[in-house]
Amino acid sequence: MSSHDNTSVAKNDSNNISVPFIKLFEAMAQEAKEKGYIPFSMYNTSKNNFGILLSIPRFLASLSYQGGIECYQHKKYNDSIQFFGESIKLRLNLTHEKNTEIVAHCFNNIGVSYEKMKKYDKALECFAPSLEIQKTINKGVNNTDEADIYRNMASSYFQQNLYKESLNYYNKTLNILQNTTSKNDTDIAQYLMSIGTIYGKLEKYNESLKYHNDALILLNKYYSTENNTNSIYIADVYKNIAITNFLRKNYTELEKYSELAFSIYNKYPDHDENIILESRRIAAANFYLEKYDKSLKYYLLTLNKQRESNATIYEIADTLNDIAIIYNRLGDSTKSIEYYSNASSEREMIAKNALHQTNIVTTNVDGEMESTALYNNALEPINAILGEVNCTELYDLWNNREL
């Protein structure tokens, strides 16, 4: 297909989607007015001149890009993909924009949307052209945009349990960040932790601990200057070191680092999940160390926290079962039978509540459902017009375009 044909198709698409795009833009502008995160004057000016603006591919390309952002923020990833794809197609009409950062961002954002949908192969297909465009723009000089793409690729490989591939791209990310003048130690620490986690998955525990400890050194140095040694980031490193020690069956170190993580998470009321996990790890470590009284203390704490939070019946039943085992080790058969019985009762409830659980509908407050409905109505006619986005074909189309 010639570049002329591409331009023609894009113009026809622009005319077809004008009305639904107006509806979407009005929906976006209404929320912008309410929340104040987009200058409302932009909407007023645009609305008064839609007849002119909708004939300009650059405006439609920008509008579709913003539509992609809005849909992504509302977790409507299919729609987000279509909008970013449409933005790329519309830019085929524009001269001197074959290799622009905005196009690279479109491909990257499509990939991230696919990743959110757990379509990792499709995500990787989109990250590849994004990376290629960034390399063309940067002429061989690595920058943080490339690092972001490498990170996204690493994440997609990790989610597929392709740890060696993931490790390769995390190392590329880390190499770029460590050699930038505006490097952020907290970001670098996050990637060190990610690499440490991968080495744990690969059962290379010494390497795993090395990277986690390197992350801990950076974070301690950074937060000591702010007099904040109770950072969640530091707790996260302690947690990862604890997990690695669990995998290598070093239960003394598991107990030590789980307690360190627990002591920090416990200061944050919105970290119930981490508090529960670390409490269970401390209980498990003490069980393996045959310190049953301390193990019981933390299993009971775990149970109480689970009942206060949104823990599932499965999780509560497992904890009840663990407590029963501890009482049995302590020689208290009466308590052991009591907790075994409670665990069985919880598991019976799982079957009874299964159908009910699938019908639970949670709604947000302050009219958020109305806002979502507004977007759904605006997007409906657009979804019928825009086709499925294939990043490989789209990049070939873009790459073969003549400037």
Side-chain angles (χ1 to χ4, degrees), residues 373-387:
L374 184 62
Y375 278 96
N376 289 342
N377 292 335
L379 288 166
E380 188 173 348
I382 297 177
N383 292 339
I385 295 170
L386 302 180

Side-chain angles (χ1 to χ4, degrees), residues 77 80-86 88 103-117 119 122-123 126-127 389-391 394:
Y77 302 120
S80 175
I81 288 165
Q82 290 184 331
F83 274 112
F84 288 126
E86 189 66 16
I88 295 172
V103 175
H105 291 325
C106 283
F107 278 114
N108 184 64
N109 292 345
I110 293 171
V112 173
S113 297
Y114 273 129
E115 186 177 28
K116 289 291 185 181
M117 297 164 65
K119 296 182 178 181
K122 284 185 172 291
C126 300
F127 294 141
V389 174
N390 183 311
C391 274
L394 194 56

